[in-house]
Amino acid sequence: MVNWRRFLPAGLLAALCAVFSLSSFAASLDDKLLSQLSRAAPKLDRAVLKTAFNASRCAVSSGVEMPQRLAVIDFSLPSSEERLWIFDLEKGELLLRDLVAHGKNSGNFESTEFSNVEGSYQSSIGLFQARESYYGKHGYALRLDGLEPGINDHARQRAIVIHGADYVSDSWVSKYGRIGRSLGCPAVDNQVIRQVVDNLKGGQLVFKYYPDQEWLHSSGFLKCDNTTLAGKNVKKSG
């Protein structure tokens, strides 16, 4: 057998190995993994999971760093239900399912209105990249960058972050039939905030779903049209 390593310059060999490694890792976002995640989270609508998965796969093929974990929020469900799922993509496992809040102007029991506008106090939908953790007025929290222009790309300037809140708890559901509402942030139970932040910080993907027909038919990530993706908002690998 010819040892092709002997005939390649060291720099080219390293580059080829990096490409093969990345391609192999990216290829793990395949239908087999999708089926594995679906089995791990039977209460997550398969169509919603597939939409999130395909958007993530498109993002990676467009230059977004390959995530190790993926969070899916299904805003079509009422806030009294656990509608946040966090998956380990390397192991194909469900790490967490829990409650998550929507913005106070997005709806009462259910969220129906969404915005990318600062001061709207509404949630936004689409694909996000979780960035740095920090300590702020809500304690330990996580900044989000929206990757979809016109849909969620003002997330950072709107201070849309994941933080803990005492109004996100089973006791609130028992008392009011729903959890409390945020100013637009996907707030979670204080009991799980550290787990959520530590699993998502550093470039993991967060997908917020709602059956908004205009978004479903225009999103570059859902159509996987590289010409309509987030451009400079997309965080390139390296």
Side-chain angles (χ1 to χ4, degrees), residues 17-233:
C17 288
V19 169
F20 290 147
S21 177
L22 178 61
S23 299
S24 176
F25 195 17
S28 66
L29 285 177
D30 55 19
D31 290 342
K32 180 179 179 181
L33 176 59
L34 175 59
S35 296
Q36 191 173 352
L37 298 182
S38 183
R39 290 193 298 271
K43 293 189 177 181
L44 173 55
D45 188 301
R46 170 69 185 236
V48 173
L49 175 59
K50 184 176 181 180
T51 301
F53 192 85
N54 286 342
S56 302
R57 180 157 50 189
C58 179
V60 171
S61 71
S62 304
V64 172
E65 183 179 356
M66 176 70 191
Q68 297 172 304
R69 287 167 290 281
L70 168 66
V72 180
I73 296 173
D74 185 358
F75 276 139
S76 70
L77 297 175
S79 69
S80 57
E81 295 187 24
E82 295 178 332
R83 52 183 182 173
L84 163 67
W85 290 260
I86 298 179
F87 296 97
D88 185 320
L89 297 178
E90 294 180 322
K91 297 180 180 179
E93 297 176 352
L94 177 65
L95 299 176
L96 174 76
R97 181 188 175 204
D98 216 297
L99 299 166
V100 62
H102 58 254
K104 69 177 187 177
N105 287 343
S106 281
N108 192 12
F109 292 90
E110 300 179 350
S111 50
T112 57
E113 301 291 333
F114 303 91
S115 176
N116 192 36
V117 177
E118 189 170 0
S120 67
Y121 298 154
Q122 292 183 3
S123 298
S124 50
I125 54 178
L127 187 66
F128 299 75
Q129 194 168 37
R131 304 308 299 179
E132 71 274 16
S133 61
Y134 71 101
Y135 286 90
K137 64 180 181 180
H138 298 291
Y140 196 45
L142 178 65
R143 299 193 192 280
L144 299 175
D145 283 333
L147 299 181
E148 301 200 45
I151 301 296
N152 59 28
D153 59 335
H154 292 167
R156 183 170 285 260
Q157 71 185 58
R158 293 181 62 203
I160 300 300
V161 303
I162 298 178
H163 64 78
D166 58 8
Y167 54 76
V168 183
S169 66
D170 290 331
S171 61
W172 265 72
V173 175
S174 298
K175 187 173 182 178
Y176 301 108
R178 63 167 175 82
I179 58 175
R181 296 166 296 167
S182 69
L183 299 183
C185 296
V188 300
D189 192 326
N190 280 319
Q191 300 299 313
V192 301
I193 183 59
R194 182 162 292 277
Q195 182 182 357
V196 171
V197 172
D198 286 347
N199 272 295
L200 295 179
K201 65 183 180 181
Q204 312 312 314
L205 294 181
V206 177
F207 187 80
K208 303 180 191 178
Y209 174 85
Y210 186 79
D212 180 277
Q213 293 305 305
E214 181 178 354
W215 167 66
L216 289 173
H217 289 96
S218 65
S219 169
F221 288 117
L222 300 186
K223 294 165 51 181
C224 211
D225 177 0
N226 290 351
T227 65
T228 61
L229 292 180
K232 64 182 180 180
N233 294 315

